Amino acid sequence: MNAFPALATPAILVDRDRLDANIADMQRHCSAHGVELRPHLKTHKMVEVARRQLAAGAAGLTCAKLGEAEAMLPASPRSLFVAHSLADPGQAARVAALTERVADFRVAVTSEAHAPALERVAAAAGRRLAVMLAVDTGLGREGVRDLAAAQRLAAMLARSRHLELRGFYTHEGNFYGIPPAQQRAKVIELIARLAGVRDAIDRTLPIWPGCSVSAKLIAENSAGRVQAVRPGAYMFGDLFLSEVTGVMPASAVAVQVLATVVDKPEPGLALIDAGSKTFSSDRTGDNIHAKAVDGRDLAVVRVNEEHGYVRGTAVDSLRVGERVAFMPAHICPVINLTDEVTVTAGDQIVATWRVEARGKTR
Ligand SMILES: Cc1ncc(COP(=O)(O)O)c(C=O)c1O
C-alpha cells in the first residue's frame, strides 16, 4: 500500500478508477434490463460523484433532505426525488425554489397521517407537487403497510389540490439482514408486492424500489415491471456490502480510511488516530467498525471519539507511526463526517473533492 506520507491522517481515500468502475457497472446492469438508475446521494454527498453518475447515464438523483438536493444543484440533475416525509410548511420556499430549478422534482408521501402535512407544505409553496407513494416492504419505517392503506392514500391524493401521484417507491433496508442465498427469492417477492400495489391503483405509474443490496437483482428480475432503482452506497462499498451481504468483492470497494498507529499500550492492542469521529459508531453484526484492507488480521473492535482500538493476530507486528488503510463497516456516516476526500489513481493523489452536502440534515 502507498501510505501517502504527505497526507495528514485520518484521511478518507477514494480510488477514482474503482469508483468509476462501480458507477459504470451498476449503470450497465440497469440499462441492460431497461431499468433507470436514480442513485441516492446520501452516501457520497459530493457534486463531483453526482456528475459522474449522471454522465454515466443515471436518469436522476435521490436524496433524503432538501439541503442535500440544494447542494447537488451544480450537478444539474434533470430529475430529483426527495425520499423523505416533508412535514414543515417552513420549508415551502425551498421546495418552491427546487421545483423551479429541477425539471422533474418529486417528493415522498409516506402515509395517510403524513399526506395532510405535505399538502400544507405544497399549499404554502404555491405549487402542485409530484409525489411518490411509499410502500413498506419489510423495513417497518415509512410507507403504507398494506394495499387497503395504499388505496385510501391514493384516493386522498386524487382529491388533493396540491399533490399529484406519480409513482410508488419502497426502501428495503431490511435486505442488509437477508442472507445472500435468500436475496433473489426475496427480491422476487418484493417486486411482486410493489407491482401488485401499483397495478391495483394505476398500472401506468412507475415503481422505484432498489437499494445497494437489491438493485442488481431487481433489475435482473424486473421483466418490465420495475422502472427505476435507487442504490446509494454501491459506488463506494464497505464491509456491509462486501462481507456481510456479499454483493460486491472487497477488491471493488473504492473508499479506504487511512489511519496512523499512535500507541501500543499493551500486547495485543494498538490504538489508531481514527475513532467514532471518523468511522462513526456503526459496526457489523460481529462488532467490527473496520478491517485492514491489506489482508492482515487487524480489526477496529471498539471506538472512542478520537481513538480506534485495533486487535487481531497482526497487531503486535505494527509499529507506532505506521499507517494502515481500513475498510469501514458502513461508508455513509464516514463520508458525512469529513469535509473532503482525497482522490487517488494508482499511487498518485489526483484531486481533493469537497463533501458539499456533508451535514445537510435539514
Ligand atoms: C429512501 C432510501 N432510498 C435509497 C437508499 C439507498 O440505500 P443503500 O445505501 O443501501 O443503497 C436509502 C438508504 O438509506 C434510503 O433511505
Side-chain angles (χ1 to χ4, degrees):
M1 184 201 70
N2 183 338
F4 299 109
L7 210 55
T9 64
I12 313 302
L13 308 182
V14 173
D15 183 313
R16 190 187 60 189
D17 297 340
R18 288 188 187 183
L19 167 69
D20 285 342
N22 293 340
I23 289 174
D25 177 55
M26 183 63 80
Q27 186 63 57
R28 224 178 1 254
H29 222 85
C30 291
S31 301
H33 296 283
V35 171
E36 290 175 345
L37 179 55
R38 297 174 169 271
H40 202 304
L41 59 91
K42 74 186 180 100
T43 304
H44 61 70
K45 290 178 171 273
M46 286 180 247
V47 171
E48 185 55 41
V49 179
R51 284 197 179 114
R52 290 170 122 81
Q53 291 172 320
L54 292 166
L61 300 174
T62 305
C63 63
K65 298 296 180 68
L66 295 177
E68 291 177 324
E70 291 158 351
M72 287 305 123
L73 288 177
S76 307
R78 201 198 53 76
S79 177
L80 210 154
F81 170 37
V82 180
H84 208 275
S85 319
L86 297 182
D88 175 6
Q91 294 174 314
R94 297 167 70 199
V95 169
L98 283 164
T99 63
E100 299 295 321
R101 297 284 302 275
V102 181
D104 175 24
F105 180 75
R106 303 182 188 209
V107 299
V109 63
T110 53
S111 73
E112 293 164 86
H114 171 237
L118 183 62
E119 180 88 32
R120 287 191 288 276
V121 174
R127 297 287 187 287
R128 190 163 163 79
L129 293 181
V131 300
M132 301 294 291
L133 191 157
V135 178
D136 175 52
T137 50
L139 182 60
R141 199 177 67 180
E142 81 273 37
V144 293
R145 281 1 192 200
D146 53 38
L147 175 59
Q151 286 172 317
R152 289 193 304 270
L153 180 50
M156 281 173 88
L157 295 172
R159 294 189 298 270
S160 161
R161 287 182 51 209
H162 298 284
L163 307 178
E164 180 185 346
L165 179 60
R166 296 278 291 280
F168 301 83
Y169 82 100
T170 190
H171 175 52
E172 63 275 32
N174 50 310
F175 266 65
Y176 281 84
I178 293 177
Q182 292 173 27
Q183 286 167 5
R184 188 167 183 281
K186 293 287 180 190
V187 153
I188 289 168
E189 269 176 34
L190 174 108
I191 296 174
R193 169 145 159 69
L194 195 57
V197 171
R198 180 261 311 278
D199 293 350
I201 292 173
D202 184 342
R203 286 176 170 275
T204 67
L205 292 177
I207 55 173
W208 294 359
C211 68
S212 295
V213 182
S214 56
K216 285 185 177 174
L217 280 171
I218 288 177
E220 281 164 27
N221 291 284
S222 160
R225 291 170 298 167
V226 177
Q227 283 61 50
V229 289
R230 315 178 323 276
Y234 73 99
M235 75 282 136
F236 285 165
D238 52 22
L239 287 177
F240 275 114
L241 290 181
S242 63
E243 264 193 17
V244 178
T245 60
V247 297
M248 73 195 287
S251 59
V253 172
V255 184
Q256 302 178 350
V257 174
L258 186 66
T260 299
V261 177
V262 293
D263 199 359
K264 294 175 68 178
E266 63 184 42
L269 174 66
L271 300 176
I272 55 171
D273 60 354
S276 61
K277 284 185 171 163
T278 301
F279 290 114
S280 84
S281 299
D282 285 7
R283 52 194 175 171
T284 63
D286 359 327
N287 293 331
I288 303 291
H289 297 274
K291 278 190 181 173
V293 298
D294 61 11
R296 282 183 291 174
D297 179 19
L298 295 171
V300 179
V301 295
R302 184 177 164 195
V303 284
N304 294 149
E305 290 183 37
E306 298 293 4
H307 291 87
Y309 296 60
V310 182
R311 293 200 184 269
T313 54
V315 161
D316 291 331
S317 65
L318 289 171
R319 286 181 295 105
V320 172
E322 181 175 344
R323 288 165 172 231
V324 182
F326 289 92
M327 183 188 301
H330 186 197
I331 188 60
C332 304
V334 173
I335 301 295
N336 191 48
L337 287 168
T338 189
D339 288 326
E340 58 185 32
V341 299
T342 301
V343 185
T344 63
D347 276 355
Q348 303 297 313
I349 292 175
V350 293
T352 302
W353 292 343
R354 268 180 42 70
V355 184
E356 288 91 347
R358 179 211 173 160
K360 299 287 188 205
T361 52
R362 293 181 178 163

